[in-house]
């Protein structure tokens, strides 16, 4: 399979067949991972640099693991101890890494559009690992794979995405991914946490969680991203949990076999109750993390195949 561009910057614009092809390849990597085998010849001689300007546990670690399982040389650049602290610009940092003949550049940045800007300046294939409130494409792919494996399909499912939609790149990428795969997407949250452009996003919008959860097959909770708020958008964590936090009672309104998802990191007692997050009969949060490694292996594989060797 091929992707339409040599970078992966967003899900928006990706065709259903490209997404399905990536999920199929990721599924084969999932089986390889579970068998304990690796495929270290695939990216042998290739260099992957993780360039994270924002904190990460899951994404950075799984890209590192994915790259190593495919045989790449993986460098985790510590931005906090880099020359960025001496005033080096994003583009100069990228030009420096480019001069080292990096093949794959995984970028997380607080500004929406930063990975796309870098993609215009470097020879490496750029993978967006989350940019501002814009997109987090590999998260949506791993979420889609998790849903497909848990439910056997995505088409026709009702997926409720709940909480701080306004600040969530995960919500945007999932919305594009799930609608491309013909799921019905509902966005649930207070008006203050809905993006201004919500009307044209192609999802049903609910401000009442009980209404939005009714009959949902998948309940995807989002973290309250206080670090991106200018203040006053949420009165208090306690009040937020009362109206929009997922507990067993609210989950009872969804389909009886509804699964619970969360991209992490979770704020327990704010957007999700531990009793739900840790319920092995309903929660697929640990599976999401496992799918993350497989999906990132698939993305690295495809982009490396499309990328001429630089070194
Ligand atoms: N879901 C996600 O992006 O988690 P991290 O911030 O830990 O990478």
């Amino acid at each position: 399979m091929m992707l339409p561009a040599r970078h992966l910057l967003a899900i928006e614009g990706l065709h259903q067949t490209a997404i399905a092809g990536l999920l199929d390849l990721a599924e084969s990597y999932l089986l390889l991972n579970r068998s304990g085998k690796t495929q270290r010849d695939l990216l042998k001689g290739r260099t992957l640099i993780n360039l994270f300007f924002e904190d990460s546990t899951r994404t950075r670690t799984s890209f590192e693991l994915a790259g190593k399982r495919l045989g790449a040389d993986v460098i985790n650049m510590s931005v906090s101890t880099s020359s960025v602290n001496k005033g080096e610009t994003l583009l100069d940092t990228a030009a420096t890494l480019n001069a080292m003949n990096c093949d794959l550049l995984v970028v997380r940045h607080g500004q929406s559009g930063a990975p796309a800007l870098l993609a215009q300046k470097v020879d490496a294939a750029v993978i967006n690992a989350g940019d501002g409130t814009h997109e987090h494409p590999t998260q949506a792919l791993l979420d889609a794979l998790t849903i497909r494996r848990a439910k056997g399909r995505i088409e026709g499912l009702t997926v409720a995405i709940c909480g701080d939609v306004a600040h969530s790149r995960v919500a945007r990428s999932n919305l594009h991914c799930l609608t491309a795969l013909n799921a019905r997407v509902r966005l649930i949250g207070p008006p203050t946490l809905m993006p201004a452009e919500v009307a044209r996003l192609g999802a049903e919008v609910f401000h009442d969680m009980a209404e939005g959860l009714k009959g949902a097959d998948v309940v995807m909770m989002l973290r309250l991203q206080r670090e991106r708020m200018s203040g006053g958008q949420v009165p208090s964590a306690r009040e937020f949990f009362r109206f929009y936090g997922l507990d067993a009672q609210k989950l009872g309104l969804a389909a009886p076999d509804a699964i619970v998802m969360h991209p992490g990191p979770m704020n327990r007692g704010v957007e999700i109750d531990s009793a739900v997050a840790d319920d092995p009969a309903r929660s697929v949060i640990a599976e999401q993390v496992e799918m993350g490694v497989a999906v990132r292996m698939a993305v690295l594989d495809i982009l490396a195949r499309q990328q001429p060797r630089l070194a």
Side-chain angles (χ1 to χ4, degrees):
M1 71 159 295
M2 294 282 283
L3 287 176
R6 67 185 185 93
H7 309 286
L8 179 62
L9 301 172
I11 295 291
E12 187 174 16
L14 271 192
H15 193 267
Q16 179 186 28
T17 50
I19 296 172
L22 272 169
L23 298 187
D24 290 344
L25 183 61
E27 191 130 16
S28 71
Y29 278 122
L30 177 71
L31 301 180
L32 187 82
N33 289 342
R34 286 186 174 177
S35 75
K37 295 186 187 131
T38 54
Q39 207 172 338
R40 294 198 195 276
D41 49 337
L42 202 81
L43 296 188
K44 196 165 184 285
R46 299 290 188 120
T47 303
L48 182 162
I49 299 184
N50 275 323
L51 181 59
F52 278 56
F53 291 86
E54 283 190 334
D55 296 342
S56 170
T57 297
R58 283 147 285 267
T59 312
R60 196 199 59 74
T61 311
S62 58
F63 266 114
E64 179 176 359
L65 205 48
K68 285 181 172 169
R69 285 198 179 152
L70 296 177
D73 296 319
V74 182
I75 313 290
N76 293 309
M77 212 188 104
S78 168
V79 170
S80 62
T81 55
S82 74
S83 289
V84 170
N85 282 340
K86 300 177 195 162
E88 188 162 68
T89 66
L90 176 64
L91 290 180
D92 284 340
T93 302
T96 303
L97 300 176
N98 196 49
M100 295 178 195
N101 293 325
C102 156
D103 298 283
L104 296 149
L105 189 58
V106 179
V107 183
R108 172 170 286 190
H109 200 283
Q111 291 296 322
S112 300
L117 180 68
L118 288 190
Q120 294 170 19
K121 307 285 177 189
V122 298
D123 299 316
V126 175
I127 302 164
N128 179 3
D131 61 329
T133 59
H134 173 228
E135 281 226 30
H136 190 350
T138 55
Q139 179 70 44
L141 293 169
L142 75 88
D143 288 339
L145 184 59
T146 307
I147 295 170
R148 197 173 81 168
R149 287 183 58 82
K151 293 285 176 192
R153 68 191 166 102
I154 292 176
E155 184 163 0
L157 293 180
T158 298
V159 181
I161 303 179
C162 316
D164 184 0
V165 179
H167 301 104
S168 178
R169 52 201 181 202
V170 173
R172 272 179 194 71
S173 285
N174 262 297
L175 185 57
H176 294 305
C177 188
L178 293 167
T179 51
L181 298 173
N182 297 319
R184 281 187 295 271
V185 178
R186 298 177 185 168
L187 300 176
I188 306 173
T192 49
L193 294 180
M194 282 292 163
E197 76 277 19
V198 73
R200 63 164 186 82
L201 288 177
E204 277 186 282
V205 178
F206 294 85
H207 301 307
D208 179 345
M209 196 165 179
E211 280 297 311
L213 286 181
K214 251 183 223 164
D217 300 294
V218 177
V219 182
M220 187 182 291
M221 301 308 299
L222 301 171
R223 182 173 69 86
L224 204 53
Q225 299 193 36
R226 289 193 183 277
E227 74 275 19
R228 296 192 207 281
M229 294 182 194
S230 45
Q233 283 169 287
V234 181
S236 71
R238 185 196 289 250
E239 196 164 7
F240 183 81
F241 183 74
R242 188 168 149 231
F243 289 104
Y244 294 103
L246 187 69
D247 57 13
Q249 194 185 358
K250 293 198 193 89
L251 182 59
L253 300 165
D257 59 350
I259 56 169
V260 174
M261 305 179 74
H262 194 304
M266 282 186 277
N267 286 319
R268 291 168 182 265
V270 179
E271 71 266 358
I272 192 164
D273 187 42
S274 287
V276 172
D278 300 334
D279 178 357
R282 309 301 289 276
S283 171
V284 293
I285 294 169
E287 281 86 342
Q288 286 174 266
V289 178
E290 184 187 17
M291 300 308 146
V293 179
V295 155
R296 285 158 184 141
M297 289 170 82
V299 168
L300 296 178
D301 175 348
I302 297 294
L303 291 182
R305 281 179 207 270
Q306 293 182 195
Q307 175 84 345
R309 282 194 180 261
L310 300 170

